[in-house]
Amino acid sequence: MANVAEQTVHTLEIVKQEEIAAPIDIVFETILEQMGPDNVNPNGPMPMKLEAWPGGRWFRDLGNNSGHWWGNVQAIKPPTLLEISGPLFMSYPAMSNVQYRLQEENGVTKLRFVHRAMGQIPHDTGVEEGWGDLLRRIRKGVESRVSIR
Amino acid sequence: MARAATTTDVFNAIAEPRRREIVGVLNDGREWAVGDVVLRVKLAQPAVSKHLGVLRKVGVVTVVKRGQHRMYRLNAERLKPVHDWVKVFEPYWTNQISRIKERAEQKALERILRAEEAPGNDSDE
């Protein structure tokens, strides 16, 4: 079954700038570490793998062939640019472009961060109820099959 | 894909930087006359009126007529969908960038200390 509905594509832009008292090569190396093995989310450590070459993957490796692909390296020019594109942690139809751009002046590295995203945001409660109903039906079906055995 | 009209929803309405600036001006919750907004954002009145019209159509601002003036007020509730999306990412990136700064500055300091301690370095003498 296919449903076609007119929906709005939403856009998001987050821009941040930071001045860091460190040489540009150290800042770039640190970005790779923080995006990779030292990655954390607000709930605690969440190690990621970042393959630091064009097309390299940025993903969570949970072992046993399970995990979560966040994106690919779209552009990398050490030590001035890291650009990632992918869905990040959005489990809905959306695409992001994330850029870290670095520039060193007088021993201070200026970091400019941009995250742009576009996609559909699942805030429609009707959709959620639809999924909830489907899951209830699946669970009921599974339970009935288990009880028949 | 054709670009969505600015009045499609709140996301498209505030995609324009000038409209975000106007939202910032109205952020104090007071009623603002168009002329006062013009003074703050330093744009021509027709442009400000047009931007306010877009914001009104998506419900981000409300308007009431008081005598000769049309008074605009921010309806912050309409910005909630934007807030809901941004709040997912904002803490993550803010946290990551502050960790990058902290760690890189620590490494830079360690590099300086190593260079000073290196054999043959007589810079202190």
Side-chain angles (χ1 to χ4, degrees):
Chain A
M1 187 182 76
N3 287 321
V4 178
E6 188 173 321
Q7 296 203 5
T8 306
V9 171
H10 298 137
T11 61
L12 162 82
E13 182 181 67
I14 296 173
V15 179
K16 292 182 177 292
Q17 303 202 57
E18 191 69 73
E19 289 198 352
I20 302 174
I24 193 168
D25 63 309
I26 286 183
V27 177
F28 191 81
E29 175 191 286
T30 308
I31 290 172
L32 297 184
E33 286 171 2
Q34 294 297 325
M35 299 275 282
D38 295 342
N39 184 61
V40 296
N41 72 9
N43 299 320
M46 190 174 63
M48 301 284 291
K49 287 198 173 167
L50 175 61
E51 298 168 341
W53 54 80
R57 296 166 300 168
W58 186 36
F59 66 106
R60 288 186 76 190
D61 185 357
L62 300 174
N64 297 319
N65 291 328
S66 64
H68 192 174
W69 169 72
W70 283 30
N72 285 97
V73 175
Q74 183 173 332
I76 182 166
K77 293 179 187 171
T80 57
L81 171 69
L82 175 65
E83 190 174 346
I84 303 269
S85 63
L88 306 190
F89 43 82
M90 298 185 238
S91 286
Y92 43 87
M95 186 57 69
S96 283
N97 174 272
V98 174
Q99 296 180 12
Y100 278 97
R101 289 183 182 272
L102 304 178
Q103 195 178 6
E104 185 178 342
E105 276 176 34
N106 303 320
V108 173
T109 301
K110 289 182 179 172
L111 182 156
R112 180 177 160 81
F113 169 87
V114 181
H115 175 194
R116 294 190 183 94
M118 58 179 287
Q120 292 170 357
I121 303 174
H123 57 76
D124 183 341
T125 53
V127 173
E128 287 169 17
E129 284 163 12
W131 282 108
D133 181 53
L134 176 65
L135 293 172
R136 269 194 299 277
R137 280 186 280 131
I138 291 170
R139 192 173 64 233
K140 208 170 175 180
V142 171
E143 286 168 354
S144 64
R145 266 179 276 166
V146 170
S147 62
I148 287 168
R149 283 184 189 172
Chain B
M1 186 175 66
R3 187 175 170 167
T6 54
T7 51
T8 306
D9 67 6
V10 63
F11 286 86
N12 286 291
I14 65 163
E16 152 68 43
R18 287 294 195 177
R19 282 197 281 277
R20 289 204 295 272
E21 195 179 342
I22 291 172
V23 167
V25 169
L26 301 182
N27 196 31
D28 63 1
R30 290 192 299 118
E31 286 185 350
W32 285 73
V34 179
D36 295 331
V37 179
V38 166
L39 290 175
R40 284 290 297 274
V41 299
K42 297 182 175 62
L43 269 183
Q45 178 154 344
V48 171
S49 294
K50 192 178 169 189
H51 288 315
L52 284 168
V54 170
L55 293 172
R56 188 180 58 76
K57 277 186 183 159
V58 297
V60 170
V61 300
T62 57
V63 60
V64 290
K65 197 161 186 200
R66 299 200 190 283
Q68 296 295 313
H69 297 288
R70 288 165 65 82
M71 305 298 290
Y72 290 86
R73 185 199 290 268
L74 184 68
N75 181 19
E77 180 65 24
R78 292 292 294 169
L79 291 170
K80 191 174 180 302
V82 179
H83 171 75
D84 286 348
W85 198 356
V86 171
K87 79 178 180 187
V88 177
F89 294 101
E90 186 85 25
Y92 176 75
W93 296 126
T94 301
N95 186 36
Q96 185 175 84
I97 290 167
S98 65
R99 284 173 63 88
I100 288 167
K101 178 179 167 65
E102 189 182 321
R103 184 73 188 115
E105 290 180 346
Q106 186 187 338
K107 282 185 182 183
L109 190 61
E110 287 167 5
R111 181 187 280 184
I112 291 168
L113 292 173
R114 274 200 307 275
E116 285 177 356
E117 288 169 1
N121 187 336
D122 57 358
S123 59
D124 289 337
E125 292 176 8

